[in-house]
Amino acid sequence: MLMALSFIYYLNMGLTTSKVLYIPQGSIRKIITHLEHANPQLNRLDAFLLRFVGRPQHGWIDLGSTAMTHGDFLYRITTSKAAMKPVTLVPGETTQVFFTQLAESHGLDPARLMEVFREQSPYEEGAFVPDTYQLPIGITESDAVQMLLRYAEAKQRAWSEKIFGLYNERKWYHYIIIASVIQKEAADNAEMPLVSSVIANRLAKGMKLQMDGTLNYGPYSHEKITAARIRSDKSGYNTYLHVGLPAAPVCNVGFDAIRAAIFPAKTEYLYFTKGADGKHRFTRYYSTHLRNINRVTK
């Protein structure tokens, strides 16, 4: 009788929790251990009592409120599901612009998203993998960033192991930087190895890349690059001003751009300019490059 009363008393004790939670797959003890990290008010007694309540739902759940009893909490994690909403990160988009879109679609704070991203990610840019994500309505900024980073790390590790047989994070990030320039410059996937070859050839000759796409970083993702912008931008992204690659990626990149960065086409091209049809004209010679520019600007 005393034990039963103790359990009833515990089940009616209040707790506070996040409104939206992620329930991992695994044993009940594993689930409670995972939840304990986010809420120290939970313990092994909850794991014991949960066996009599039911099997927790796997995935994101919406508890409906942040204050409840232990009994309510255990019941809701076995019966609740969160409403999901899609958000798409397109290849070539910057993290800052993506966070603006994510904040609008899921009612989040873009400044807080960027703040927790800087806390959780070792990289300034290029940490995410373009995809369409189903995120729960009511997710916190911290959980959203953590989910996106975990997915990206697993995906990029798998890509690297597929190509190289291993994952060297530092080496992979170098290719992400190159891929981000390719992603911004190429008109389509077919052009990517050619743009990559121009980057490789210019770097090998010690030439400045002089590519507009490197200035489409951060908030400037969709801004047309002008001569005035080229002169005024003193950042490390300005490849008209600095020799070599930018210190960080310009954007988030897809697999096609990464593959092109690793396997550039074998050419002697050093220049390219966009033609009237939107495709680029590639050439080895500066004189031909000038003629290509003149054809477009006439």
Side-chain angles (χ1 to χ4, degrees), residues 16-22 60-68 73 76 80-83 137-140 143:
T16 57
T17 180
S18 298
K19 182 173 178 289
V20 174
L21 292 176
Y22 179 74
W60 290 95
I61 61 172
D62 185 350
L63 298 176
S65 63
T66 58
M68 63 195 73
F73 177 83
R76 293 184 193 192
S80 302
K81 275 290 185 182
I137 299 172
I139 192 172
T140 66
D143 283 345

Side-chain angles (χ1 to χ4, degrees), residues 101-282:
Q101 297 167 350
L102 176 57
E104 290 175 355
S105 64
H106 284 70
L108 300 174
D109 181 350
R112 178 59 182 158
L113 283 168
M114 188 60 73
E115 180 183 353
V116 295
F117 170 71
R118 288 172 178 149
E119 292 171 355
Q120 295 183 22
S121 173
Y123 308 118
E124 297 178 29
E125 182 63 91
F128 297 130
V129 170
D131 206 340
T132 295
Y133 297 90
Q134 294 289 339
L135 296 182
I137 299 172
I139 192 172
T140 66
E141 289 84 359
S142 181
D143 283 345
V145 171
Q146 185 178 70
M147 176 183 172
L148 293 167
L149 287 174
R150 283 180 177 175
Y151 177 83
E153 197 277 337
K155 196 77 171 178
Q156 292 186 3
R157 181 182 291 275
W159 286 345
S160 178
E161 290 175 350
K162 179 179 180 180
I163 295 173
F164 297 113
L166 55 85
Y167 177 57
N168 182 312
E169 187 173 357
R170 184 175 180 181
K171 181 178 179 181
W172 188 257
Y173 191 65
H174 172 74
Y175 286 122
I176 293 289
I177 295 174
I178 299 173
S180 73
V181 181
I182 297 169
Q183 192 83 70
K184 284 293 189 180
E185 290 288 343
D188 52 34
N189 290 348
E191 282 192 1
M192 286 182 173
L194 296 176
V195 173
S196 183
S197 74
V198 174
I199 294 172
N201 293 339
R202 291 181 78 92
L203 290 175
K205 291 180 177 291
M207 299 172 65
K208 294 176 181 176
L209 294 186
Q210 296 181 314
M211 295 187 179
D212 289 3
T214 62
L215 288 169
N216 289 127
Y217 62 89
Y220 309 109
S221 181
H222 303 285
E223 185 175 289
K224 182 176 176 60
I225 306 304
T226 64
R229 172 77 192 289
I230 291 171
R231 290 192 298 270
S232 65
D233 193 301
K234 306 301 180 184
S235 74
Y237 291 100
N238 191 345
T239 54
Y240 287 90
L241 182 64
H242 303 287
V243 177
L245 294 167
V250 183
C251 61
N252 296 287
V253 300
F255 181 70
D256 289 316
I258 296 172
R259 183 170 52 192
I262 298 170
F263 304 110
K266 296 186 183 301
T267 76
E268 295 184 340
Y269 294 149
L270 293 172
Y271 307 95
F272 62 88
T273 191
K274 185 175 290 187
D277 60 356
K279 300 295 182 68
H280 288 97
R281 307 293 184 264
F282 295 84

